[in-house]
Amino acid sequence: MDSRQPRTILIAGAGIAGLTAALAFAARGFHVELFERARKFEEVGAGIQLSPNATRILGKLGVLDALVGATAPQAVVLRDGASLRELARVPLGKAAEARWKAPYLVAQRADLQRALIDRAADHPHIRLTSGSTVAEIAFESQGVKATVDRDGHMEEAAGMLLVAADGVWSSLRCLVKGSRDSRPSGKMAWRSLVETASPAGQDLAALAPSDRVTAFLNPALHLVAYPLRGGATLNLVALMEGDMGAGSWTSEADARLLSRALSGFAPPLSTLAEIAGPWTAWPIHAVDLDGPWTDPRGLVLIGDAAHAMTPFAAQGAAMAIEDAYVLAALLAEHPHDLPSALARYEAVRRPRVRRVVRRGAFNHFTWHASGPIALARNLVLAARPPEKLAADFDWLYGWRPEGALK
Ligand SMILES: Cc1cc2nc3c(=O)[nH]c(=O)nc-3n(C[C@H](O)[C@H](O)[C@H](O)COP(=O)(O)OP(=O)(O)OC[C@H]3O[C@@H](n4cnc5c(N)ncnc54)[C@H](O)[C@@H]3O)c2cc1C
């Protein structure tokens, strides 16, 4: 495998970050070698919300055209989990496209993954290899050399840069001197799918109709429901405090924990742990934002490898997509000055990601509020018309690369 070329980019990881990076680099004329540890290219989890800042880039890269089965919800609706009262409504659908110039979509993760892979597989400048783990790297005068483990058989690949898109559990992160390891956030996510035609689905659809994203707020937990497969399925995500104490949980104990957290909700939400399911649960890990993301000799972290975050703003994948696009644009702008391009990448991305993480922390604080804080929240939300609530997201959803990066 001799890929040593000045315009060759090596990428470790074919998640949303790595695949978007492959497409973004190839679109700028680079050659890409993308290595994925798993034998099959696949995405775990059920659904994903794709906000306009992400779909704008996916559109530019030709991925939206290949994304079958995505739907555009008409609104995000916040409801009190106990009283079921509607607290706020942010218009989406056509209003989102008009305001942010790109659609707000919900999709099955597998469909997004498939659209990304199909685009990448079709591109003459991208070589995808599964069952290949980037095990080691070495910096050389002309760039970086990666040792790739393919079923115990070691091969080498060389390029001008290695993009570590290897996720929250990144093993390559520690090669950036001073980087921070991921740590438990103290939050847990639960996910389930409910068929809309089932009795549980019909009860739920009355509260969370399939034309919108609905978030039910409660101090112990918040629950988000949105449609998949054209509304045939409701995707449920519940986020709560807690840790899973690695390996010490049985699924029975998990269900009891969820059940307890849902007890403050109105029926049928209060019985969701039993009537929906099966539920999968896992602890959320995050990466501290103060650590560096680059080594000027030819290594860069993107996506969850750089800045895994709690999903309270539903922006982890969107940030990965933005990272990938900005990085490729900067390399194309400074093809002969890698250190400057990487320094610029950190300078541009860090404040943006920091602001998104702050927004997630704000959502967590207000969505899980109780007592007077919850009352104040409800009053503020009731006083703000839907367009004003939408305007609060202009900085996030209306984002576009600046100047030469466009
Ligand atoms: C409950 C929940 C809900 C979420 N909802 C949303 C949402 O609605 N919207 C949103 O924008 N984000 C959401 N997110 C966040 C989003 O899922 C992640 O931020 C995103 O998937 C990260 O993508 P990634 O490519 O960086 O990492 P990953 O998807 O983890 O991909 C990393 C890949 O690297 C591979 N790999 C690892 N090590 C190596 C190696 N050494 N060599 C080669 N390959 C390797 C792995 O096999 C994997 O395929 C949510 C997260 C959670 C937990």
Side-chain angles (χ1 to χ4, degrees):
M1 198 190 299
D2 183 15
S3 53
R4 184 183 300 268
Q5 291 172 42
R7 285 179 71 86
T8 296
I9 305 294
L10 309 178
I11 302 178
I16 293 168
L19 284 163
T20 309
L23 291 170
F25 274 108
R28 305 255 177 196
F30 291 87
H31 288 264
V32 176
E33 292 271 0
L34 173 53
F35 302 101
E36 166 54 45
R37 183 180 55 192
R39 275 174 210 283
K40 280 174 73 182
F41 292 103
E42 54 193 6
E43 175 66 81
V44 292
I48 189 158
Q49 300 184 58
L50 291 168
S51 50
N53 47 318
T55 58
R56 181 174 299 114
I57 294 172
L58 295 176
K60 278 180 195 286
L61 297 176
V63 178
L64 278 197
D65 295 337
L67 182 55
V68 289
T71 45
Q74 296 307 304
V76 171
V77 175
L78 302 186
R79 301 181 77 153
D80 183 281
S83 67
L84 301 180
R85 188 156 63 90
E86 182 170 320
L87 302 175
R89 178 179 290 247
V90 181
L92 297 179
K94 288 210 167 68
E97 287 220 49
R99 181 165 202 109
W100 298 303
K101 310 285 181 272
Y104 193 112
L105 299 176
V106 292
Q108 298 206 74
R109 280 173 179 259
D111 289 345
L112 173 60
Q113 188 84 356
R114 176 52 45 209
L116 286 162
I117 288 171
D118 285 352
R119 286 291 299 166
D122 277 352
H123 204 294
H125 290 173
I126 301 176
R127 188 156 66 169
L128 293 171
T129 322
S130 58
S132 301
T133 303
V134 176
E136 276 175 36
I137 65 167
F139 297 111
E140 302 192 322
S141 56
Q142 294 158 301
V144 62
K145 192 169 77 188
T147 305
V148 181
D149 180 346
R150 296 187 69 177
D151 282 334
H153 178 66
M154 297 299 178
E155 295 181 9
E156 287 189 344
M160 64 182 289
L161 175 69
L162 178 91
V163 179
D166 53 342
V168 62
W169 312 111
S170 171
S171 59
L172 300 171
R173 185 191 295 123
C174 64
L175 301 177
V176 176
K177 207 162 163 233
S179 63
R180 311 290 168 90
D181 210 354
S182 61
R183 55 178 169 73
S185 68
K187 316 278 186 291
M188 279 170 70
W190 301 74
R191 290 209 261 208
S192 185
L193 291 173
V194 178
E195 293 306 312
T196 323
S198 69
Q202 284 179 358
D203 285 351
L204 259 179
L207 302 174
S210 58
D211 64 346
R212 66 194 68 167
V213 177
T214 309
F216 298 94
L217 314 189
N218 190 266
L221 170 153
H222 85 265
L223 175 77
V224 181
Y226 57 83
L228 293 177
R229 295 170 50 231
T233 309
L234 270 176
N235 182 72
L236 302 178
V237 182
L239 287 160
M240 58 184 270
E241 309 297 316
D243 209 338
M244 298 187 46
S248 62
W249 291 80
T250 64
S251 51
E252 230 174 282
D254 288 348
R256 278 203 303 272
L257 196 66
L258 180 61
S259 216
R260 213 165 34 240
L262 284 166
S263 62
F265 283 72
L269 304 178
S270 54
T271 54
L272 265 185
E274 295 82 40
I275 62 173
W279 290 87
T280 49
W282 64 93
I284 306 284
H285 284 231
V287 178
D288 195 277
L289 284 185
D290 290 333
W293 297 340
T294 59
D295 183 315
R297 293 173 295 174
L299 175 62
V300 58
L301 309 174
I302 66 169
D304 276 11
H307 46 62
M309 59 186 73
T310 56
F312 289 95
Q315 282 293 313
M319 289 303 106
I321 290 166
E322 288 186 10
D323 286 350
Y325 189 83
V326 169
L327 179 65
L330 285 168
L331 251 291
E333 206 181 39
H334 304 275
H336 305 297
D337 188 359
L338 186 62
S340 295
L342 296 182
R344 204 51 223 292
Y345 165 76
E346 286 216 29
V348 171
R349 295 303 300 152
R350 195 178 299 279
R352 167 85 174 155
V353 173
R354 205 180 280 286
R355 191 170 180 194
V356 168
V357 169
R358 273 205 303 270
R359 174 72 206 201
F362 175 78
N363 284 355
H364 173 245
F365 175 73
T366 52
W367 290 15
H368 290 210
S370 59
I373 297 176
L375 271 177
R377 171 199 70 199
N378 296 352
L379 286 172
V380 170
L381 287 174
R384 280 181 84 67
E387 310 77 57
K388 285 257 164 60
L389 291 173
D392 290 344
F393 291 98
D394 286 350
W395 68 273
L396 181 55
Y397 301 157
W399 176 91
R400 55 189 70 234
E402 283 161 25
L405 300 184
K406 274 189 181 166

